[in-house]
């Protein structure tokens, strides 16, 4: 279960990077199909999904916390 959740998180982080670079190339191109804000908005949405997923996994105990240093 832990390996599956880490794989999902890595996949979402890859999608975030893809949307970030898609926004960059959309900004640099002259004939834009979609505006740069479309891709950056998706990046923010996926980042929020990753954050909520991490909080949910830590709250349920599926993802272990780091031990305290003292």
């Amino acid at each position: 279960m832990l390996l599956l959740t880490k794989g999902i998180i890595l996949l979402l982080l890859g999608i975030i990077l893809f949307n970030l670079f898609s926004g960059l190339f959309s900004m640099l191109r002259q004939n834009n199909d979609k505006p740069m804000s479309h891709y950056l908005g998706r990046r923010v949405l996926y980042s929020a999904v990753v954050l909520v997923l991490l909080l949910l996994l830590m709250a349920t105990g599926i993802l272990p916390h780091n031990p305290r240093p003292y």
Side-chain angles (χ1 to χ4, degrees), residues 2-58:
L2 183 63
L3 187 63
L4 178 66
T5 56
K6 286 183 180 181
I8 291 171
I9 291 171
L10 283 176
L11 180 69
L12 286 171
L13 290 175
I15 292 171
I16 289 169
L17 281 175
F18 175 75
N19 280 320
L20 184 65
F21 284 108
S22 295
L24 173 70
F25 293 134
S26 173
M27 179 179 67
L28 295 176
R29 276 186 269 152
Q30 294 297 325
N31 52 353
N32 293 358
D33 300 346
K34 295 179 183 175
M36 180 182 66
S37 62
H38 173 78
Y39 297 108
L40 295 181
R42 280 187 173 180
R43 182 183 66 90
V44 170
L45 175 69
Y46 287 127
S47 298
V49 168
V50 167
L51 183 65
V52 168
L53 183 64
L54 283 174
L55 289 174
L56 183 67
L57 290 173
M58 282 194 286

